[in-house]
Amino acid sequence: MKSKVTLVKSIISVAALLLLLGVSTNSSAYWGRDGTYVVKCDAGMTPQHILDMQWFARPIELQLVGICPGFTIKRDDVTVTARDSEACPGATVSGKISVDGARNARLACISFMGGESGIAVSGGKAVLEDVHISGSNDSGIWIDDSGTVEMSGGSITDTVAGVFIENGHGSFDEVDISSNRGTAVSVE
C-alpha cells in the first residue's frame, strides 16, 4: 500500500512540474502549438528568455514585435522573423545576434541598428533573408570558426566593416554592401 501512495505522489509531482513549466513558458510570450512564439520586446519580453526556456530539440519560431535586445542562438532549427512580415523589415534588433554552433538558424525581415549591432556566426549556419544592418560600430556580419552565412536581399551599410570572414563561408545574393567606414568585405 505504501508503494502505491509513493507512486501516486510521484505522478502528482511530475504533473505539477510539467504544468509549472508550461505556465512559465507561456507567461513570457504567446505560444502556439506549432512552436511559434510572439515576443513583444516593447512590453519587456526578450528573445533570449524564450530561447533559454527551450529544453527540447524541436524547431521553434520567434516572431519579434518592436525593438528587441541582442541575443544568442545556441540550438538548431530556430527561425527569427518579424510578426508583421508584410512590412519588411518589420522588427528591429538593437544589439548583436550571435549564432554559436547552431545549425539552420534563419533570420528574416529584421533590421539591426546602432552600437554593437549585427550578426556573428561561429561554427554554425545562418540563412538571412531581407535583413538590414546599419550604424554598427563593428562588422555588420562576422563569420568565423567554420561558420556559414547565406544572405539574400537586404543591406549592410554604415558599419565599420561590412562583412568579415575568418575561416568560414559567406554567400551573398542581391545584397547592398556599401557606404561602410572600412572595407566592404574582408576575408582571412
Side-chain angles (χ1 to χ4, degrees), residues 6 23 27 43 45 54 63 83 90 105 112 128 130 133 137 181:
T6 304
V23 168
S27 65
M45 297 176 187
Q54 301 304 307
Q63 295 180 348
R83 172 97 191 259
F112 294 81
L128 315 177
D130 290 321
I133 303 167
N137 294 331
R181 296 182 289 275

Side-chain angles (χ1 to χ4, degrees), residues 150-164:
E150 295 176 3
M151 184 173 182
S152 62
S155 62
I156 305 168
T157 59
D158 190 30
T159 63
V160 170
V163 177
F164 180 80

Side-chain angles (χ1 to χ4, degrees), residues 28-45:
S28 298
Y30 168 78
W31 174 72
R33 291 187 182 268
D34 61 353
T36 300
Y37 296 83
V38 176
V39 185
K40 297 178 181 176
C41 296
D42 290 345
M45 297 176 187

Side-chain angles (χ1 to χ4, degrees), residues 6-59:
T6 304
L7 178 63
V8 170
K9 285 182 180 179
S10 296
I11 292 172
I12 291 172
S13 297
V14 169
L17 178 63
L18 291 174
L19 180 62
L20 177 64
L21 288 174
V23 168
S24 69
T25 301
N26 290 340
S27 65
S28 298
Y30 168 78
W31 174 72
R33 291 187 182 268
D34 61 353
T36 300
Y37 296 83
V38 176
V39 185
K40 297 178 181 176
C41 296
D42 290 345
M45 297 176 187
T46 66
Q48 192 66 60
H49 177 75
I50 302 300
L51 290 169
D52 291 345
M53 294 297 296
Q54 301 304 307
W55 296 330
F56 303 106
R58 66 181 178 117

Side-chain angles (χ1 to χ4, degrees), residues 107-130:
L107 309 175
C109 203
I110 301 172
S111 175
F112 294 81
M113 61 175 65
E116 297 270 333
S117 66
I119 301 166
V121 179
S122 294
K125 179 180 179 185
V127 175
L128 315 177
E129 299 167 359
D130 290 321

